[in-house]
Amino acid sequence: SDTCDLVTQVTYADPGARARLRIKDGDMGTLDMLRAAQTTDAPPASYDLKTSAELMTNFVQSDILQPQKAFEAVQTHVGLSLLFAISTEGDLNVVVEETGKTKHGWAVRNLSAPLIRKVFQGGEAKVRTFAVSQVAGRGAQRAIRVAMVVEAGGMSHLFLSLGNSDCNLDWTKDIPWVAAPYNAVDDEGKPYIAPRPFHIAGVMLAKAADCEMIVVDVLRNPNASQPLLERYWIKVGSPGPKYTWVKHTAPADFEASTYMSCLGRKANEYVDGIYTAGKVNNKSQLIYAPVYNVWDAGAPALPSRLQLPGGKVPDCVACAHRSTGDNTTDLYVAARGALYYFAANNQHDQAVGVAVVEHPTLLNGVRTMFAVEEAGEVTVWALNGSNEVFYLSCHSDAILHKSEWSVPLPIYSQVDAISPYIDRKHLANTFFAHTGTDLIKVTKTPGTGLWTKRNLLLPASVATQDSREIKSFTTEVQVTNKGTGELAADVEVELTATTVTSVSINHLYYAVGPQPVKVKTDTEGTVTIVELTHDLVATRFSASVAPAGAVGPGSRRLPGGAPPVAIHPMDGAFKRNAALNTRSKLRDAKVQEMDGSERPFISSDVSDDALDQIAKLNDSLNDAHEDAKTRGMPLHARRLAHTRSFGAPVFAEAHLKGKSPFLCDIGDLFNYLKSGIQAAISFAKDHGGIWYFLAEIGDSIMTAVLDTVEAIGSAVVWVYDKIIAGIEWVIKMIEFLFGWQDILVTHRVIKKFIVLTAQDFIDSIPNAKAAFKNSCDGFKKNIADWTGMKVEGLNDTPADANKNQSMHHRDSAPGNTGKHHLKGGGRQATSDDKPDGGVPSILSKLCDLAQKEEQTLVNAADQIKTQVIDPFTSLSLTQIVERITGIVGIAIVDGFENIGLELFDVVESMVSGLMDKLDKALHIPVLSWLYKMLTGDQLSVLDLVCLIAAIPTTIAAKVIYGHAPFSKHSEVTKRMLNAKTIQDWNNAPWDQSRALALYRPGVPKVHLHAKAEGKDVEKHKALQALALGFGALMGTVLRCYCTVIKDELKRDPAMGNDALYLFETLRWIGSVAGSAPSLSPEMFDKLGDSSAWYYNMGKILTTMGKVRGFAQIFFVASKNKAIGKAFSLCSSFENTLKLIPHIASPIYDGELSVHIVLKTIGKISSDAGGILSFPKKVSESPQKEELMLAEVALRMSYGVIMAGYPLVWMAEI
């Protein structure tokens, strides 16, 4: 309105609600609590979080950013990196770090090429040098300024881009360059004659928030043996040109090869000045001079000549903008073993610097130095003549107190160049370093003091290139709905990390730290975190699901969500190492290679005394670990105990050997030890009960506090420092042992089953049409039994079935390695297989019949959805059976009978190519490379499913039984691998003569009652079921994954049909594997051999589903909507009818043990998901997406139960 209205919201406060919520007058958020409590909406969902974490071998396919000619780093408003660099080709690139957007997290964007093409039109032009600066101060957003010098035709050309956002990075994709040609004039306005050739030696950009100062150094006499500099500053936004060059009157002539400069501002100045250290007439000078005279622009500005005590010669200079926000800078100077400090108010002429740190080796010959003040802390980084990187830090209010500065240690050696900053989000010490062979990002976490390093990974340049083996801490967080037990897809999980580092979360790169990161679960309700490790620095995580209303008054959690769960990925590896606490255990320890061979962990020539010492160290480390576990997660920056003023810890004399210890930071000490320096390691408690790490180096003892689990875990490698060369061997010993050769045997067992099953499908087709007709007739004859079916006392619900699955056995980070890489690389999958197309006319009759019977299915599907699927998780098996028998009747069978008969005619013309589909080569990043490395063979579409199923099957069996499920030396395994028919595979657990006696047509129950044959037989049958169960789970994952990807591809006009054919093929392979455990043993009989009509019906419908899915591959790219509707209608019909045998089999047979009931619930869940095929096909958004999510949830419930019920069976044996 045109007036100021007062709007009031009135909420009725139910006294009962106030009492229940214990709300008192004046509580914060009272109204929110009342509204939430009094709403009629459904209560927010609550979730359970289950976790698994391991140190394990992993694999990555990527390129690595190679060393650059020159680089400089700044950061975004949230602490992500922007690395500007000149490539070896002479381009200026910016490497952008992106969190939660891409797989590898780094994107290279060329800033110079578009401009060079436009301005120089194909001429030879390259970037000679560049400069970048970021506004200093307290602002949440700090602008980024960039300058670039292009060399073309023997001349330098300057381009500028100022005022770029550190929040919105769109400018990095198309940077707005503005040319700044040389245009300097003298006092009379006459142009200066530019030097010939015109070479720009360097550019400086100010960091002050109140001006955009640009200083350019030009070679005055470029052809001279010792060329001198001519300095200009550029006036921005003046009348006339956008940029005007103005000559700077330098206080001295500096030699170009000897000077160093930086822009800053001393106290009480209105304009920036230049600190310059260099030689004039072979004499060293340190001078501060304002860029220009603010009172008289035509007159020289008055310089300040700064002095070092004793006339020392500066090695290097750096200035730090004070965090007061007044744009003034303190100056730091390194000279001959000391760091000198010039406060902003101590930079007058003849001012003398104050020595604040002295270190005769590290601070000698410093050649590069940087300084910054952030959040009240000063940090100075340096690179010395020995190519060692080190840093110094101190509170800004204690700079003049030598004892308050940190103890410097070399962090990295053999470094050529660095570019550092303090991460504004986490206050983490961060720098990029060029080590000669690598360009790495190094980060120190404030809460733990530990350093982590990372290469800059880029997308693979070739889709089929080899992968690399890495060591990683891999964590899985699985979220399930507490009420239904279903996997909770698309739920937002909040992750907090103890380490400031980068990780992969569900195949996306994330920068993590103490501040929460929010990620969503995938279609399986899973969040997978992969953290690369070089040195056992593991990040602890806290995972939670925030309730719908966050928190209420007094920080009380509102209903819903899931409370935080602590995750320590190093725990398993640490326990394995802690167990090596005797001489004999260390002698017996073996390291297993991927080919199954073993080598001793410790060489036989290591003395017993050395082993006793290591065992003692492991015990001490374990004691320290137990003490540290009682402390909270170190999520906040703290003042680390590594300054001289902290005081030395007091130890028993036995630990000190008459030497005086000095304290340093734990992360700095670990990195120093990596340089290869010889040290004797021990652990000790001081008199106050705090554990310390002690390193005896020569005549000194360095100590550091072991006050976090992270630090203690990282200390493991130093236990073995004297006897094992290389951290990698220690990691190999304590990482999770996959046992790849055992996994490959399981893979072959599963593969044999699927191949024989597929062949059985093919062999069944000639008789299937008649058998299908007979089974439909059999159902009609037995309709009275079906509709009168009663099952009592089965109160288990699908929710109970889902909840009863143990993640420890079923889902683990190592067990899901194959599945994880499928999700990560599936979108890049390619295959040599190309469909033949097919003749759509053969589907015309099928489409007509489908249209005719559409309404019959719609009516039944609607009843099943509302009465069974929607309340599915809350119904007992008894209720499910009663409702389904009331819906599925003769009308449904009649409606599908004609369609089914026609479908068999369609499939008969195509089935000859079915087996070829299974063996076609498939190229998926990581998985194809891994499979070839393990086997020497190409990965096929069938191998994909079998491999990702074999990993968790093998691991689960080892956890339960202590050995692999299928030994290559076992007679049972040999019989399975040599089976000629599916019946042979099924009967492998029995002795061959016994199997022949038992295997008689018309005696189906003999297959179910393995218990009668003894526990060994039943155990082998359960292991068969376990293998097929995990095959079903992974096949279901593949099926659901491909369904989602296929729908995405159909919406993308840029994608060709080849990708659609590939993912439909993969989807079909997944459905074949997924159906394996839903086959009853009786279904291995030939058609017609079983006397029970429902056995044949089950096998025929399963066969029909597979051949229908196979036929669908050839028409997946068809634009004819009738074809898509026909196939989806067939799917819904067959899944509706599958409910009949899946319910009838266990009830008629009287076999209702716990694992059979679970299996039945799983099969019904899969059928319910399949019934949604047609409704989903004909629905519009958003109902279409809702139905897809429901289908995925039901299918995944099936997969989970199929992998879980054999575990229940094993427990029953």
Side-chain angles (χ1 to χ4, degrees):
S1 70
D2 295 329
T3 60
C4 295
D5 298 331
L6 177 64
V7 179
T8 302
Q9 182 177 5
V10 178
T11 297
Y12 168 70
D14 179 0
R18 289 178 65 93
R20 286 193 304 275
L21 295 171
R22 299 179 182 177
I23 295 174
K24 297 179 291 185
D25 290 338
D27 274 353
M28 294 293 291
T30 294
L31 287 178
D32 290 337
M33 288 285 284
L34 285 169
R35 288 169 186 151
Q38 295 171 189
T39 182
T40 57
D41 295 339
S46 294
Y47 300 96
D48 279 324
L49 301 185
K50 297 177 182 177
T51 66
S52 167
E54 265 294 357
L55 170 65
M56 53 187 268
T57 298
N58 218 316
F59 311 94
V60 63
Q61 186 198 54
S62 69
D63 288 342
I64 298 176
L65 184 67
Q66 297 302 306
Q68 307 290 292
K69 286 184 177 179
F71 59 89
E72 191 165 351
V74 294
Q75 60 182 310
T76 70
H77 69 298
V78 290
L80 298 175
S81 302
L82 295 174
L83 183 68
F84 293 80
I86 299 177
S87 69
T88 53
E89 292 80 19
D91 291 324
L92 177 62
N93 297 321
V94 59
V95 188
V96 181
E97 184 181 19
E98 299 177 304
T99 186
K101 292 183 179 180
T102 64
K103 184 173 184 178
H104 299 295
W106 297 92
V108 178
R109 295 172 186 166
N110 196 313
L111 302 179
S112 60
L115 178 130
I116 289 174
R117 283 195 300 268
K118 180 180 178 181
V119 174
F120 301 99
Q121 299 180 354
E124 184 67 22
K126 293 186 177 181
V127 178
R128 176 188 177 93
T129 188
F130 75 97
V132 62
S133 73
Q134 188 161 24
V135 171
R138 300 175 173 177
Q141 297 184 24
R142 306 177 188 179
I144 297 169
R145 301 160 179 170
V146 190
M148 174 177 69
V149 177
V150 177
E151 196 81 5
M155 302 285 285
S156 294
H157 304 264
L158 178 65
F159 297 89
L160 300 171
S161 182
L162 309 179
N164 297 302
S165 170
D166 68 345
C167 180
N168 183 343
L169 301 182
D170 286 346
W171 58 271
T172 61
K173 301 172 184 176
D174 184 17
I175 188 168
W177 289 117
V178 177
Y182 180 83
N183 57 7
V185 297
D186 60 19
D187 293 342
E188 298 178 359
K190 295 179 181 179
Y192 281 116
I193 298 174
R196 287 287 185 264
F198 185 72
H199 284 313
I200 296 176
V203 182
M204 290 180 285
L205 300 173
K207 297 181 180 180
D210 59 353
C211 69
E212 292 180 323
M213 182 62 67
I214 304 125
V215 175
V216 183
D217 287 339
V218 177
L219 297 183
R220 184 191 304 172
N221 48 348
N223 296 320
S225 59
Q226 283 290 344
L228 300 177
L229 293 176
E230 198 158 74
R231 184 162 279 172
Y232 296 83
W233 65 278
I234 293 180
K235 191 183 297 183
V236 180
S238 58
K242 183 174 179 61
Y243 299 117
T244 303
W245 291 55
V246 181
K247 201 166 194 177
H248 169 77
T249 305
D253 286 334
F254 291 98
E255 297 170 6
S257 61
T258 65
Y259 87 106
M260 61 197 79
S261 292
C262 58
L263 277 172
R265 189 181 304 180
K266 72 177 184 178
N268 303 315
E269 288 285 352
Y270 298 95
V271 65
D272 277 3
I274 307 167
Y275 302 99
T276 305
K279 288 185 178 179
V280 180
N281 297 327
N282 213 31
K283 285 188 176 181
S284 296
Q285 298 281 344
L286 177 59
I287 299 173
Y288 170 84
V291 172
Y292 63 90
N293 190 327
V294 294
W295 309 112
D296 183 357
L302 294 177
S304 298
R305 290 168 177 81
L306 308 178
Q307 306 294 324
L308 295 178
K312 285 188 176 180
V313 177
D315 290 327
C316 205
V317 298
C319 63
H321 279 76
R322 291 158 53 86
S323 54
T324 55
D326 61 2
N327 294 309
T328 60
T329 54
D330 295 333
L331 179 66
Y332 296 88
V333 181
R336 298 189 179 183
L339 179 70
Y340 294 90
Y341 168 63
F342 291 87
N345 58 6
N346 182 37
Q347 296 177 19
H348 53 80
D349 194 36
Q350 301 304 316
V352 179
V354 179
V356 291
V357 179
E358 294 178 6
H359 198 292
T361 54
L362 282 179
L363 281 165
N364 192 32
V366 172
R367 56 191 179 89
T368 305
M369 196 161 73
F370 302 86
V372 69
E373 182 178 329
E374 187 74 53
E377 187 91 6
V378 173
T379 306
V380 178
W381 298 268
L383 177 62
N384 64 21
S386 300
N387 296 331
E388 296 171 317
V389 180
F390 62 96
Y391 78 97
L392 295 152
S393 63
C394 180
H395 280 287
S396 57
D397 58 0
I399 294 173
L400 292 173
H401 301 283
K402 289 185 178 181
S403 62
E404 293 299 318
W405 283 84
S406 62
V407 176
L409 289 174
I411 305 305
Y412 275 92
S413 57
Q414 299 181 336
V415 173
D416 299 331
I418 63 170
S419 182
Y421 63 80
I422 296 295
D423 169 356
R424 280 150 54 191
K425 183 175 183 180
H426 302 292
L427 298 180
N429 188 336
T430 305
F431 65 87
F432 289 83
H434 176 207
T435 64
T437 57
D438 285 309
L439 179 61
I440 57 175
K441 180 180 178 180
V442 186
T443 306
K444 179 174 184 171
T445 299
T448 64
L450 299 177
W451 291 91
T452 56
K453 73 169 184 177
R454 294 287 184 268
N455 291 108
L456 277 59
L457 302 185
L458 303 172
S461 52
V462 179
T464 56
Q465 74 185 42
D466 287 349
S467 300
R468 290 178 291 110
E469 180 181 312
I470 62 171
K471 302 301 180 183
S472 72
F473 289 102
T474 303
T475 300
E476 272 208 0
V477 181
Q478 189 162 84
V479 183
T480 54
N481 187 300
K482 189 175 284 188
T484 67
E486 291 181 334
L487 302 174
D490 207 35
V491 171
E492 193 170 77
V493 175
E494 197 171 85
L495 293 171
T496 303
T498 58
T499 305
V500 179
T501 186
S502 59
V503 297
S504 169
I505 305 179
N506 284 359
H507 301 286
L508 291 179
Y509 175 101
Y510 280 87
V512 297
Q515 296 189 28
V517 169
K518 294 181 179 180
V519 296
K520 288 194 173 182
T521 58
D522 62 15
T523 53
E524 294 179 77
T526 301
V527 172
T528 303
I529 308 165
V530 178
E531 179 187 15
L532 177 68
T533 184
H534 299 283
D535 44 19
L536 293 181
V537 177
T539 297
R540 275 189 291 169
F541 292 93
S542 174
S544 64
V545 177
V551 293
S555 298
R556 295 198 301 269
R557 290 182 64 87
L558 291 178
V565 174
I567 308 163
H568 184 20
M570 179 65 180
D571 204 43
F574 190 89
K575 287 177 180 176
R576 286 190 286 274
N577 181 74
L580 301 175
N581 59 353
T582 66
R583 181 195 306 172
S584 60
K585 289 178 181 178
L586 287 163
R587 288 276 187 218
D588 294 340
K590 298 288 192 296
V591 172
Q592 189 177 91
E593 303 288 359
M594 291 186 75
D595 63 2
S597 62
E598 292 184 339
R599 288 195 287 163
F601 173 50
I602 293 175
S603 173
S604 58
D605 58 6
V606 176
S607 69
D608 287 347
D609 288 344
L611 291 181
D612 290 340
Q613 179 64 22
I614 291 171
K616 182 179 177 182
L617 289 174
N618 278 337
D619 273 337
S620 296
L621 204 56
N622 191 46
D623 290 342
H625 186 263
E626 291 301 311
D627 288 352
K629 282 200 304 188
T630 61
R631 303 189 188 102
M633 292 172 65
L635 298 178
H636 302 289
R638 59 195 172 97
R639 186 166 188 184
L640 298 173
H642 62 288
T643 64
R644 295 175 179 85
S645 66
F646 190 81
V650 180
F651 299 110
E653 183 57 35
H655 294 294
L656 300 180
K657 303 176 183 178
K659 302 174 182 178
S660 297
F662 70 90
L663 200 61
C664 47
D665 185 26
I666 187 69
D668 297 350
L669 181 53
F670 283 166
N671 270 37
Y672 177 41
L673 293 174
K674 289 176 193 174
S675 65
I677 192 165
Q678 293 299 308
I681 304 302
S682 60
F683 308 106
K685 265 187 179 183
D686 72 356
H687 288 181
I690 298 174
W691 281 94
Y692 283 80
F693 180 95
L694 285 74
E696 184 181 353
I697 302 172
D699 295 330
S700 63
I701 292 181
M702 296 183 177
T703 66
V705 182
L706 285 172
D707 58 348
T708 66
V709 169
E710 290 78 4
I712 294 166
S714 299
V716 167
V717 295
W718 303 112
V719 170
Y720 305 96
D721 183 47
K722 280 191 172 181
I723 62 168
I724 293 176
I727 292 173
E728 294 78 10
W729 190 246
V730 178
I731 294 176
K732 209 172 184 69
M733 174 61 212
I734 63 176
E735 70 176 341
F736 179 84
L737 184 63
F738 274 98
W740 285 107
Q741 298 309 306
D742 294 332
I743 289 170
L744 290 178
V745 174
T746 306
H747 158 269
R748 289 195 289 271
V749 168
I750 299 173
K751 183 176 181 178
K752 189 71 172 183
F753 174 86
I754 296 179
V755 168
L756 293 174
T757 301
Q759 189 61 56
D760 189 57
F761 286 158
I762 295 172
D763 296 342
S764 298
I765 286 175
N767 300 322
K769 188 173 180 179
F772 174 65
K773 181 75 170 66
N774 291 336
S775 67
C776 290
D777 292 341
F779 172 73
K780 295 172 191 177
K781 291 176 183 176
N782 292 276
I783 189 66
D785 288 344
W786 167 253
T787 55
M789 186 179 294
K790 295 294 181 186
V791 52
E792 298 177 354
L794 293 180
N795 296 319
D796 283 344
T797 67
D800 298 324
N802 284 320
K803 291 178 191 176
N804 288 334
Q805 309 306 309
S806 168
M807 182 176 179
H808 179 69
H809 294 157
R810 189 198 74 230
D811 289 304
S812 65
N816 287 330
T817 295
K819 181 174 67 174
H820 173 73
H821 287 295
L822 167 65
K823 294 177 184 176
R827 282 180 169 81
Q828 289 80 49
T830 58
S831 174
D832 300 331
D833 187 27
K834 304 293 179 187
D836 299 326
V839 184
S841 60
I842 66 174
L843 295 179
S844 58
K845 188 175 180 181
L846 180 66
C847 293
D848 291 341
L849 286 169
Q851 186 175 7
K852 180 180 178 181
E853 301 296 341
E854 180 176 320
Q855 194 56 48
T856 302
L857 178 65
V858 168
N859 294 338
D862 184 61
Q863 292 181 67
I864 291 174
K865 183 178 183 302
T866 56
Q867 296 182 36
V868 179
I869 295 177
D870 289 345
F872 187 68
T873 56
S874 61
L875 298 177
S876 68
L877 181 57
T878 299
Q879 292 171 312
I880 291 172
V881 170
E882 289 173 349
R883 295 189 183 196
I884 289 173
T885 55
I887 298 169
V888 179
I890 290 178
I892 298 294
V893 177
D894 283 339
F896 186 51
E897 186 171 349
N898 292 331
I899 294 176
L901 295 171
E902 180 61 29
L903 185 60
F904 277 111
D905 289 338
V906 172
V907 168
E908 270 192 283
S909 64
M910 303 175 177
V911 78
S912 59
L914 189 151
M915 295 304 293
D916 290 337
K917 286 282 181 189
L918 298 176
D919 289 326
K920 289 295 182 182
L922 182 67
H923 308 291
I924 294 183
V926 176
L927 286 176
S928 295
W929 168 85
L930 175 62
Y931 188 76
K932 187 168 186 179
M933 183 181 69
L934 291 170
T935 66
D937 298 328
Q938 295 286 340
L939 180 75
S940 71
V941 289
L942 178 56
D943 290 321
L944 170 67
V945 178
C946 297
L947 179 64
I948 63 177
I951 297 172
T953 301
T954 306
I955 291 172
K958 285 183 176 182
V959 170
I960 298 169
Y961 290 125
H963 59 76
F966 307 106
S967 167
K968 62 183 178 182
H969 304 296
S970 162
E971 291 301 318
V972 174
T973 303
K974 291 177 182 177
R975 287 197 288 269
M976 283 190 284
L977 294 178
N978 294 326
K980 303 299 183 186
T981 67
I982 194 64
Q983 292 89 345
D984 295 339
W985 190 98
N986 182 54
N987 292 330
W990 283 283
D991 178 80
Q992 197 165 16
S993 60
R994 179 67 172 151
L996 291 172
L998 289 171
Y999 190 73
R1000 303 191 308 278
V1003 191
K1005 287 188 179 181
V1006 74
H1007 301 293
L1008 283 173
H1009 291 94
K1011 292 179 182 177
E1013 304 301 314
K1015 286 194 173 184
D1016 284 344
V1017 171
E1018 189 175 7
K1019 174 182 170 182
H1020 283 299
K1021 292 301 291 181
L1023 286 172
Q1024 280 186 322
L1026 182 68
L1028 299 186
F1030 273 107
L1033 176 58
M1034 298 309 165
T1036 303
V1037 170
L1038 181 62
R1039 181 179 190 170
C1040 294
Y1041 172 80
C1042 291
T1043 298
V1044 173
I1045 298 300
K1046 189 182 67 172
D1047 284 359
E1048 290 179 5
L1049 293 175
K1050 284 185 174 180
R1051 292 193 296 269
D1052 186 354
M1055 295 302 298
N1057 290 340
D1058 286 351
L1060 281 174
Y1061 291 129
L1062 172 60
F1063 279 100
E1064 186 64 23
T1065 301
L1066 289 173
R1067 180 175 173 272
W1068 176 74
I1069 294 289
S1071 73
V1072 171
S1075 66
S1078 66
L1079 298 171
S1080 296
E1082 290 75 9
M1083 292 185 187
F1084 298 130
D1085 293 328
K1086 290 294 182 184
L1087 284 173
D1089 281 353
S1090 175
S1091 59
W1093 58 270
Y1094 45 85
Y1095 286 134
N1096 276 330
M1097 188 175 195
K1099 179 168 185 178
I1100 293 163
L1101 288 169
T1102 301
T1103 302
M1104 179 175 289
K1106 299 318 119 194
V1107 294
R1108 186 257 313 151
F1110 178 70
Q1112 195 169 336
I1113 296 171
F1114 296 85
F1115 304 100
V1116 66
S1118 173
K1119 303 300 182 184
N1120 189 332
K1121 292 184 178 180
I1123 294 176
K1125 285 179 66 176
F1127 278 120
S1128 60
L1129 189 82
C1130 289
S1131 175
S1132 291
F1133 255 127
E1134 74 195 31
N1135 279 283
T1136 301
L1137 289 181
K1138 266 200 242 181
L1139 291 166
I1140 298 171
H1142 287 165
I1143 289 173
S1145 298
I1147 294 173
Y1148 283 153
D1149 292 338
E1151 180 57 55
L1152 293 172
S1153 57
V1154 176
H1155 73 277
I1156 294 296
V1157 171
L1158 286 175
K1159 184 177 179 181
T1160 302
I1161 290 174
K1163 289 192 243 181
I1164 294 172
S1165 179
S1166 178
D1167 297 339
I1171 289 167
L1172 296 177
S1173 296
F1174 184 71
K1176 182 185 69 175
K1177 186 72 177 177
V1178 297
S1179 297
E1180 302 292 336
S1181 294
Q1183 186 182 16
K1184 189 184 191 74
E1185 288 73 26
E1186 292 172 357
L1187 289 171
M1188 174 175 281
L1189 284 175
E1191 179 187 1
V1192 168
L1194 289 163
R1195 298 274 196 197
M1196 287 307 306
S1197 291
Y1198 163 78
V1200 167
I1201 293 172
M1202 290 302 104
Y1205 92 85
L1207 300 174
V1208 176
W1209 187 2
M1210 290 176 181
E1212 293 174 349
I1213 297 174

